[in-house]
Amino acid sequence: MNQPAQSPCRWWRRDISSTPTRPVWTPADGPPAQFRPVDPAQWVWIDLRSGFRRDPFAYYDDTADGLQYRYEVKGLLRGWMPAVDGAPLGLVSYQLLTADQQWRTVITAFVPQHHIRYRSRSGREFV
């Protein structure tokens, strides 16, 4: 039996009982029509440096157990959806590590297209 492809994230739809001052959200059976899944998912590089930009006027000491974000991370591109201004956003799953590499967490988030760099099958990256 063929089952529909599982969405990479949970979608919620505004319920008809919602009012402007009291929104009600119910789980949706699938993603919005504008969401375009990437099947199979593709490996990409995500530039975290620009997404987690540091305040240039503040100084902080590095901590050994803080999250690393000053690098490009390998991620899994799962789909595309346009932003309000029409710019494409990629839905990407990637991991963040602590500086001592003793802890990690997996994030699935929308990332602007200009922060995504594709990886070729040979292992060499191209722009």
Side-chain angles (χ1 to χ4, degrees):
M1 178 194 305
N2 289 341
Q3 294 182 354
Q6 189 72 358
S7 180
C9 61
R10 184 76 187 259
W11 291 93
W12 297 77
R13 187 175 184 107
R14 194 171 184 128
D15 194 81
I16 57 171
S17 66
S18 291
T19 65
T21 57
R22 189 181 150 272
V24 177
W25 299 93
T26 56
D29 292 335
Q34 299 85 358
F35 181 76
R36 299 285 178 245
V38 174
D39 190 26
Q42 295 179 342
W43 289 108
V44 293
W45 287 107
I46 306 300
D47 186 4
L48 295 179
R49 294 168 290 203
S50 52
F52 294 102
R53 187 162 289 151
R54 188 175 174 167
D55 180 4
F57 301 106
Y59 177 76
Y60 302 101
D61 289 328
D62 287 349
T63 63
D65 55 354
L67 284 174
Q68 295 183 35
Y69 67 91
R70 295 182 228 158
Y71 62 99
E72 281 188 321
V73 64
K74 185 168 71 170
L76 201 54
L77 177 64
R78 299 176 173 278
W80 291 100
M81 185 144 182
V84 173
D85 60 3
L89 298 173
L91 184 62
V92 183
S93 295
Y94 59 92
Q95 71 177 1
L96 286 177
L97 298 169
T98 56
D100 60 4
Q101 297 186 356
Q102 297 301 308
W103 294 89
R104 77 178 184 122
T105 185
V106 177
I107 308 293
T108 300
F110 283 98
V111 177
Q113 182 183 28
H114 61 277
H115 295 296
I116 298 173
R117 189 165 56 99
Y118 289 93
R119 295 168 46 101
S120 67
R121 290 180 189 261
S122 68
R124 295 184 194 166
E125 293 75 41
F126 61 92
V127 181

